Amino acid sequence: MKIEFLGTGSSAGTPVITCYCPVCRSEDPRNRRLRASILVRDGDTRLLVDTGPDLRQQMLRADVSSLSAVLYTHFHADHINGIDDLRAFNFAQKIVIPCHADARTAEELETRFRYCFLPPDSAWAKPSLSMHRISATEMFGPIRVTPVPVMHGTLPIFGYRFNNVAYLTDLKYIPEDSLALLQGLQVLILDCLRYEEHPTHLNVEEALYWARRIGAVQTIFTHMTHDVDYATLARQLPDTATPAYDGMVVAV
Ligand SMILES: [Zn+2]
Ligand SMILES: [Zn+2]
Ligand SMILES: [Zn+2]
């Protein structure tokens, strides 16, 4: 199984429009972050997590020619607003693309993007998607997918476990029941917004705390703002943790 980081940025991305801070002006390509998303592949099975506003660029850069399904973590704009670009896969694959989300996210998507969930028209003139509520483990080809409920401030959202890899973006707290779903991980991908505290996201210190508690072999931090310089954070982390960068691929 391969995990590709399509985007490792926060809602604004890095560089931030109008910002001239050292990270936004940095020459290091690892400081250029599209909005957070990953692609999970195993053979012909390709699962996309979230469809942020940078989706088109991400699909082109990763050279993705087909999708098996889309999994949504939650309905914030930085995770859903690229949904229209899924139409490219309708054209290419001639199928309705299946999307999976918790009940609240499914409802938000069906309301905000109603035209995507109407019966398909033969010309694929608009995106054609189907919505499935997911609440327990399901198999997607060879990949065993388990939704992992986490708290994004006061909003309950989903992270996902893919075999022995977990992707938990946008969170402040992990409930006990969910910790039980995170045992024996090879790779934990975790929210790490910035150094300063935030009401709905983990900062570096909190991310390290949860990384230690979960105890994955390797922890990779994502969803970072322009406060985070890649090389500086990489130097500060223990051997078992590393910041992600756009285009990074992890094989497990
Ligand atoms: Zn986000
Ligand atoms: Zn900046
Ligand atoms: Zn969010």
Side-chain angles (χ1 to χ4, degrees), residues 85-103:
D85 287 321
L86 290 176
R87 187 166 69 118
F89 298 102
N90 293 134
F91 270 125
Q93 296 175 249
K94 311 277 182 248
I95 58 162
V96 174
I97 305 292
C99 298
H100 302 258
D102 66 24

Side-chain angles (χ1 to χ4, degrees), residues 11 74 78-79 170 201 223:
S11 57
H74 66 304
D78 56 323
H79 297 260
D170 293 58
H201 287 273
H223 207 290

Side-chain angles (χ1 to χ4, degrees), residues 102-219:
D102 66 24
R104 170 83 195 274
T105 301
E107 204 181 298
E108 290 281 350
L109 287 166
E110 285 167 335
T111 306
R112 295 189 205 182
F113 303 103
R114 198 179 74 88
Y115 57 92
C116 295
F117 300 97
L118 298 173
D121 68 82
S122 53
W124 308 106
K126 49 184 176 37
S128 227
L129 314 174
S130 58
M131 181 53 77
H132 308 267
R133 272 81 174 152
I134 186 169
S135 57
T137 299
E138 286 184 32
M139 295 302 294
F140 291 79
I143 306 173
R144 186 184 162 85
V145 179
T146 304
V148 180
V150 295
M151 294 305 295
H152 184 15
T154 55
L155 180 70
I157 73 160
F158 275 170
Y160 290 98
R161 179 172 181 152
F162 304 93
N163 298 337
N164 55 356
V165 175
Y167 180 66
L168 308 181
T169 183
D170 293 58
L171 74 99
K172 184 68 177 176
Y173 180 77
I174 306 172
E176 286 298 325
D177 289 354
S178 296
L179 283 173
L181 303 171
L182 298 170
Q183 289 176 4
L185 287 177
Q186 180 70 31
V187 176
L188 169 65
I189 302 161
L190 193 60
D191 185 10
C192 180
L193 190 73
R194 61 186 191 190
Y195 292 93
E196 213 183 303
E197 267 192 60
H198 188 278
T200 64
H201 287 273
L202 301 181
N203 69 358
V204 174
E205 201 184 317
E206 293 163 322
L208 282 167
Y209 163 79
W210 288 107
R212 271 194 305 275
R213 261 196 88 171
I214 293 165
V217 176
Q218 190 189 12
T219 301

